[in-house]
Amino acid sequence: MRAVLFEIGPITVYSYGVMLAVGVIAAVLMAEHRAPKLGLDKDQIFSLGIWCAVGGFLGAKLLYVITEWKTLFDGGMTLRDVMYGFVVYGGIIGGIFSGWLYTRVKKLRFLKYFDLVMPSIALAQGFGRIGCFLAGCCYGKRTDAWYGMEFNHSVYTGMYGIKVIPTQLIMSAANFLHFFLLIFLAKRIRKDGVIAGCYLVFYSIGRFLIEFLRDDPRGVVGGLSTSQFISLFIFAAGAVTVLVTGLRKKQGGEEKAA
């Protein structure tokens, strides 16, 4: 793998950071492209993206510190670990909260922009997981299968000459598939909040399942990884969002017809 893309004097460019940047740019461009088709203000997307990116970064960092607080206070975590550690669910929650704040400040309809943005988030995650693959983090369990890969240049695995499941590529492919599925549904479902709810449902299911294949250090809650535990609540939130928004719109249409 290639954690460092290149170096220019004292400047080091990391593949993970580059792929994150590519993902954010792709997400914003896609949202700007789709906004007019949904009757939304294209000019709001860049600012909304900044708010969500900052909120997502802070949320991902905060949840990482929360899940690893024991290691942090026991002295088993270095400053470097804190700098580079993230929890994706924290980013999702922080990004959604920041987006909600932005729409409140700008007096925009949150659910409409929520539906617009979430397919783009899946797209960004697809690129982000490629960054994980290049960096060698978020790796899977040991395997002797043909698809196993060695991350000999990764500072994360510490298992030289050992093949592991490339869970990063599986997650990347799943996120890209998730993006196309949400776009497909968005063209056919016009009820505000349903697409965003679908994102939460689909992502939580995928994340819950992939955790069984991962073997990198992660927090544990009971017999589940931290991400699996959070997935249960994200799934519930997504299911409720789909049911409530779908039912509310349906009831509204019936009342209007009556």
Side-chain angles (χ1 to χ4, degrees), residues 52-91:
C52 291
V54 173
F57 175 85
L58 295 177
K61 182 66 64 180
L62 177 60
L63 189 54
Y64 176 77
V65 172
I66 291 174
T67 57
E68 299 292 342
W69 70 271
K70 288 186 178 180
T71 306
L72 177 63
F73 286 103
D74 288 343
M77 183 181 295
T78 65
L79 179 60
R80 182 183 182 280
D81 295 327
V82 176
M83 289 177 60
Y84 291 99
F86 296 93
V87 174
V88 173
Y89 268 132

Side-chain angles (χ1 to χ4, degrees), residues 19-75:
M19 294 312 300
L20 280 181
V22 171
V24 171
I25 293 172
V28 171
L29 292 177
M30 177 56 64
E32 287 183 341
H33 172 72
R34 296 180 59 235
K37 299 179 180 180
L38 299 176
L40 301 178
D41 186 359
K42 176 181 177 181
D43 295 334
Q44 298 287 350
I45 303 304
F46 181 79
S47 296
L48 175 61
I50 295 297
W51 277 57
C52 291
V54 173
F57 175 85
L58 295 177
K61 182 66 64 180
L62 177 60
L63 189 54
Y64 176 77
V65 172
I66 291 174
T67 57
E68 299 292 342
W69 70 271
K70 288 186 178 180
T71 306
L72 177 63
F73 286 103
D74 288 343

Side-chain angles (χ1 to χ4, degrees), residues 63-71 77 85-89 129 137-142 156 165 167 171 203 206-231:
L63 189 54
Y64 176 77
V65 172
I66 291 174
T67 57
E68 299 292 342
W69 70 271
K70 288 186 178 180
T71 306
M77 183 181 295
F86 296 93
V87 174
V88 173
Y89 268 132
R129 288 304 181 181
C137 61
C138 306
Y139 52 89
K141 295 181 178 179
R142 300 184 184 189
Y156 297 98
I165 301 172
T167 47
M171 289 187 284
Y203 182 81
R207 186 59 188 269
F208 188 91
L209 295 176
I210 196 65
E211 288 291 303
F212 288 114
L213 301 180
R214 286 178 60 173
D215 198 35
D216 53 310
R218 289 158 296 150
V220 177
V221 179
L224 302 175
S225 70
T226 301
S227 293
Q228 286 180 318
F229 181 72
I230 297 175
S231 291

Side-chain angles (χ1 to χ4, degrees), residues 116-172:
L116 169 68
V117 168
M118 296 318 289
S120 291
I121 297 301
L123 178 63
Q125 289 175 315
F127 288 106
R129 288 304 181 181
I130 294 177
C132 291
F133 175 74
L134 295 174
C137 61
C138 306
Y139 52 89
K141 295 181 178 179
R142 300 184 184 189
T143 181
D144 293 324
W146 61 268
Y147 51 79
M149 293 187 175
E150 297 180 19
F151 292 84
N152 293 335
H153 298 289
S154 170
V155 298
Y156 297 98
T157 62
M159 299 186 297
Y160 298 101
I162 298 175
K163 288 185 176 182
V164 297
I165 301 172
T167 47
Q168 311 97 324
L169 295 183
I170 297 174
M171 289 187 284
S172 177

